[in-house]
Amino acid sequence: GENVEQHPSTLSVQEGDSAVIKCTYSDSASNYFPWYKQELGKRPQLIIDIRSNVGEKKDQRIAVTLNKTAKHFSLHITETQPEDSAVYFCAATLDQKVTFGTGTKLQVIP
Amino acid sequence: NAGVTQTPKFRILKIGQSMTLQCTQDMNHNYMYWYRQDPGMGLKLIYYSVGAGITDKGEVPNGYNVSRSTTEDFPLRLELAAPSQTSVYFCASSYPGQGNTIYFGEGSWLTVV
């Protein structure tokens, strides 16, 4: 089955700096890669996603890149703000099978 | 649209008791899932369903049962509750035509004492 590895497990950045979270996947057939943000005590919520036929996607301060050959994808957050502090999960999807990474706890220090 | 609705939000169970976590979605999604999330940890898939009448085991199915009699409802049954089942449970749904984006319910906090 699919295996998704996510790094780092924790990340601290100064407000205004950039944050990068990386994921690798094992099944080359996976074709959809969402990223979820989970604030403390809340449900995970989709923040951005990318399909296998696209290399990069941006939405304001967040962007995701996908390298199908290397089977890795990354989340980039620029100009971080304290409200970006949360746990971020990547996922790799094929049909109904969704495999999540283990999560990255991002702390933005004011 | 209410999205994915779970009940109860909080519950304390005694060891050996049984209970059902209810989940319903009004988005006409084919796929539904149950995940558990232990404190500070990631999401582990318990069971999933690709449509009414079809269910399958996920990564951690032991101690749980599910049924899917309708498209909307996907209850999770805990039999003989154990302290190891203390966790937050998330029901979720998705539709393959939307890239299989998963929509989560608000979660059910379960403590077994």
Side-chain angles (χ1 to χ4, degrees):
Chain A
E2 175 67 275
N3 181 46
V4 177
E5 295 190 357
Q6 182 172 347
H7 300 281
S9 57
T10 60
L11 179 60
S12 292
V13 299
Q14 292 289 331
E15 183 177 356
D17 287 350
S18 296
V20 180
I21 302 170
K22 299 181 178 181
C23 289
T24 60
Y25 61 101
S26 60
D27 190 341
S28 58
S30 290
N31 56 12
Y32 174 65
F33 306 91
W35 285 87
Y36 289 83
K37 175 183 181 182
Q38 186 179 29
E39 296 176 348
L40 190 63
K42 302 287 183 63
R43 72 183 110 184
Q45 293 198 298
L46 179 75
I47 55 170
I48 196 167
D49 56 12
I50 191 167
R51 302 186 192 284
S52 58
N53 59 349
V54 176
E56 183 175 3
K57 183 177 179 181
K58 287 184 180 180
D59 182 3
Q60 299 182 343
R61 295 186 297 107
I62 59 174
V64 57
T65 58
L66 171 64
N67 183 326
K68 283 177 56 179
T69 304
K71 291 188 282 188
H72 66 72
F73 55 114
S74 301
L75 177 71
H76 304 253
I77 306 174
T78 58
E79 300 173 13
T80 53
Q81 301 169 1
E83 52 264 38
D84 294 329
S85 295
V87 178
Y88 292 81
F89 292 97
C90 64
T93 306
L94 175 61
D95 298 326
Q96 76 277 14
K97 300 263 187 187
V98 182
T99 304
F100 286 91
T102 50
T104 296
K105 184 175 182 179
L106 173 64
Q107 181 183 21
V108 179
I109 304 166
Chain B
N1 278 355
V4 180
T5 303
Q6 295 179 231
T7 57
K9 190 154 188 175
F10 300 96
R11 181 75 187 265
I12 299 175
L13 272 183
K14 293 185 179 178
I15 294 172
Q17 286 186 322
S18 300
M19 74 160 298
T20 299
L21 297 176
Q22 302 292 343
C23 177
T24 187
Q25 52 92 8
D26 61 359
M27 298 177 282
N28 202 31
H29 284 174
N30 301 67
Y31 300 161
M32 294 189 75
Y33 311 82
W34 274 105
Y35 289 91
R36 62 176 285 174
Q37 186 176 35
D38 297 336
M41 303 295 284
L43 296 155
K44 293 185 178 180
L45 182 64
I46 306 171
Y47 271 95
Y48 67 99
S49 168
V50 300
I54 306 169
T55 62
D56 210 344
K57 296 178 180 179
E59 184 183 354
V60 289
N62 291 345
Y64 307 94
N65 276 301
V66 293
S67 60
R68 183 95 182 271
S69 57
T70 66
T71 299
E72 295 77 20
D73 300 308
F74 191 41
L76 177 71
R77 177 85 177 159
L78 281 74
E79 304 282 1
L80 297 175
S84 60
Q85 293 179 303
T86 294
S87 191
V88 181
Y89 292 83
F90 289 100
C91 181
S93 71
S94 68
Y95 180 68
Q98 296 171 358
N100 212 24
T101 300
I102 287 189
Y103 297 86
F104 289 89
E106 293 187 318
S108 297
W109 274 254
L110 176 66
T111 302
V112 182
V113 296

